[in-house]
Amino acid sequence: MRGEISINGKKYSPEHINAMVADMPVDMPIHLAEVFRFLADWYSDSDHILQQTSGSTGAPSAIKLLKKNMWHSAQSTNTFFSLSPENNILLALPAAYIAGKMMILRALAGSLNLHVVPPSGTPEIPMVNFSFAAFVPMQLENLLESGIQCQHIETIILGGAEVSENLIRRTGELSSRVYSTYGMTETCSHIAVRRLN
């Protein structure tokens, strides 16, 4: 739970991350700073992470998520999707939310290469062969509308909102395996997946 992690092609040790967060470069992009701050929290001696709920089922509130439960969730996802060490995975979601945090932990738990891009409605996807990526449905819709190719992503999971029937039909255009997910902050991301194409 405290090993090195590969982010955008560079290996970071817990000591390196803690030192960087203690003296965060002023020019560090916000989306990367969020990743490193979460990792510093993860590497701390606390047995939990404080996480804000989304508010989709009530008023947003801060809850404690046990690190052991988050780690188990990350390992379960890696096993289910047959992710192997050195596979490339894409983080195009904010690390402030549980979905982003769990992508980071999947990389850490599986010795995967995490590629972090700025979260946006239409993410810029590096031309790298990805084994796994997580999007909200709107992101995949925008990528398809923009004609941006996703064929170099082997598996895509969608969460955070309902997947429209139109998007389900359009996943048939992709060679990528696309899954909708069900879960919430309290369950450390998804607890169920459904193949769409």
Side-chain angles (χ1 to χ4, degrees):
M1 287 176 59
R2 290 185 55 86
E4 279 190 336
I5 187 169
S6 172
I7 300 173
N8 292 344
K10 184 175 179 181
K11 298 273 189 184
Y12 294 89
S13 68
E15 294 75 22
H16 188 179
I17 286 170
N18 287 333
M20 186 165 46
V21 168
D23 189 21
M24 188 72 79
V26 293
D27 59 346
M28 172 80 68
I30 292 171
H31 69 283
L32 275 177
E34 284 181 346
V35 170
F36 291 122
R37 286 192 190 102
F38 165 65
L39 282 165
D41 285 345
W42 180 260
Y43 291 136
S44 76
D45 292 333
S46 174
D47 68 348
H48 67 271
I49 293 289
L50 278 177
Q51 179 63 43
Q52 190 84 4
T53 62
S54 65
S56 59
T57 58
S61 58
I63 61 171
K64 291 181 180 180
L65 295 178
L66 291 176
K67 289 180 179 178
K68 66 179 182 180
N69 294 344
M70 296 174 74
W71 190 253
H72 177 71
S73 173
Q75 291 178 313
S76 295
T77 295
N78 289 352
T79 298
F80 183 84
F81 290 110
S82 301
L83 299 177
S84 302
E86 303 305 322
N87 282 172
N88 294 308
I89 67 171
L90 177 67
L91 173 58
L93 302 167
Y97 296 102
I98 191 63
K101 286 180 170 65
M102 293 309 301
M103 285 296 289
I104 298 165
L105 289 186
R106 290 167 196 146
L108 185 60
S111 299
L112 310 172
N113 297 318
L114 182 67
H115 295 256
V116 183
V117 298
S120 74
T122 310
E124 293 185 22
I125 304 176
M127 287 308 297
V128 171
N129 288 327
F130 287 104
S131 297
F132 190 73
F135 299 122
V136 295
M138 179 191 71
Q139 289 177 310
L140 184 57
E141 286 174 351
N142 291 345
L143 289 168
L144 291 172
E145 285 298 318
S146 302
I148 296 171
Q149 293 297 310
C150 300
Q151 310 293 17
H152 59 297
I153 306 174
E154 186 177 339
T155 299
I156 295 170
I157 61 171
L158 301 173
E162 186 175 349
V163 181
S164 69
E165 288 299 321
N166 180 57
L167 180 56
I168 292 172
R169 282 192 298 273
R170 295 206 62 186
T171 62
E173 304 169 15
L174 298 173
S175 60
S176 314
R177 295 177 301 174
V178 184
Y179 294 81
S180 64
T181 66
Y182 171 78
M184 60 194 81
T185 304
E186 293 86 343
T187 60
C188 304
S189 187
H190 56 256
I191 54 173
V193 298
R194 177 170 70 101
R195 179 80 181 263
L196 297 180
N197 63 347

